[in-house]
Amino acid sequence: MTSTAPAATTPEDLLRGVGLRVTAARIAALRAVGDQQHATADDVLSSVRDELGTVSVQAVYDVLHALTDAHLLRRIEPAGHPARYERRTGDNHHHVVCRVCGTIGDVDCTVGHAPCLTPNDDHGFVIETAEVTYWGLCPGCSA
Amino acid sequence: MTSTAPAATTPEDLLRGVGLRVTAARIAALRAVGDQQHATADDVLSSVRDELGTVSVQAVYDVLHALTDAHLLRRIEPAGHPARYERRTGDNHHHVVCRVCGTIGDVDCTVGHAPCLTPNDDHGFVIETAEVTYWGLCPGCSA
DNA sequence: CCCTAAACTGGAATCATTCCAGTTGTGTGA
DNA sequence: TCACACAACTGGAATGATTCCAGTTTAGGG
């Protein structure tokens, strides 16, 4: 680790920036997801416990909700898998999910900027976002 | 309703066509999903029970799996909602989900045929399908 | 440095779905 | 036409992710 760069936004600053109280659990969770992109709530729980000792399950869910609501984290929920969290927020990127092992990769939206965002028949729905999930096999499982 | 056309493929024929045994539960489930597009397992359970009397929870899940595996049904799983089943299979259509009430609408893929199917960086994944979910508000909830 | 709302604890509950072991029923081969 | 093997179904218990709840602790503004 040896956190060299003092200039980079610290977890504390991030939290204060969105008006959230600074707590050990939040800092630890933020770092956990930074270290392990696409972490599950359970991954975060282990990671936070490694760092802080005893932390309740509920605390981790609360933290993840708070951070997600504040847009410091983004939650993705691939069908048939527990929810996963990532730090890349704000950009319109999507995901590849491996059918075999569940590994997830990030995919940038290439065609223009928001390709399928405008269906011709929207059934009168007011559409806010389009989410693309690619299903396939990861390098390891396609062997 | 008044099922006039005798030529149309019957549930029995559909089942035999894919090599599945013809059972009352399967016929009822197939009709249930036909009547109520995007039905949940629970919707199907009620519907099948209305028609046949006592049917076990497990039977409905078994039936839905069998029909899904045989491509007579397609399963969709919007984040935060129980799985839903539909009869439109084989075509590459997508879904709009209402953030408020969970109502689902079908959306045909317009841009070309499979718009976002080819991300430029696929991380070495072998991609099989692309699934698009639009999130927004249905006509009722946007009022 | 004190107090209040926000955050956290720990245990029970919920919901969709699956597991399991025993019973029933479809449809094929004799 | 019928028996029998295996697929399908029964019913009850178990699972896994997540949430609810009521009481306790703590961050940080006044």
Side-chain angles (χ1 to χ4, degrees), chain B residues 94-116:
Chain B
H94 303 300
H95 300 96
V96 219
V97 185
C98 177
R99 280 194 199 285
V100 176
C101 67
T103 299
I104 295 181
D106 287 334
V107 175
D108 292 300
C109 225
T110 57
V111 192
H113 61 117
C116 319

Side-chain angles (χ1 to χ4, degrees), chain A residues 28-143:
Chain A
L30 222 30
R31 184 158 55 217
V33 178
D35 289 350
Q36 186 194 347
Q37 209 59 269
H38 308 132
T40 62
D42 204 61
D43 292 336
V44 175
L45 180 62
S46 314
S47 183
V48 170
R49 280 186 173 159
D50 280 353
E51 194 173 332
L52 304 179
T54 311
V55 176
S56 69
V57 173
Q58 190 55 43
V60 167
Y61 278 98
D62 282 351
V63 164
L64 290 174
H65 278 144
L67 298 180
T68 302
D69 290 347
H71 302 287
L72 292 183
L73 291 183
R74 178 174 162 195
R75 173 210 256 107
I76 57 182
E77 241 167 295
H81 295 271
R84 288 159 182 276
Y85 297 84
E86 64 184 351
R87 298 266 321 242
R88 271 184 70 185
T89 59
D91 64 344
N92 183 29
H93 81 271
H94 304 299
H95 300 96
V96 221
V97 185
C98 176
R99 282 195 199 284
V100 176
C101 67
T103 299
I104 295 181
D106 287 333
V107 174
D108 291 300
C109 224
T110 56
V111 192
H113 60 120
C116 319
L117 194 49
T118 322
N120 55 356
D121 180 5
D122 60 9
H123 292 262
F125 277 67
V126 177
I127 296 178
E128 294 169 358
T129 56
E131 191 187 350
V132 184
T133 304
Y134 300 92
W135 294 89
L137 298 174
C138 73
C141 294
S142 63

Side-chain angles (χ1 to χ4, degrees), chain B residues 54-77:
Chain B
T54 312
V55 176
S56 71
V57 173
Q58 190 55 45
V60 167
Y61 278 97
D62 282 351
V63 165
L64 291 173
H65 278 143
L67 298 180
T68 302
D69 289 347
H71 301 289
L72 292 182
L73 291 183
R74 178 175 160 194
R75 173 210 255 107
I76 56 182
E77 243 167 293

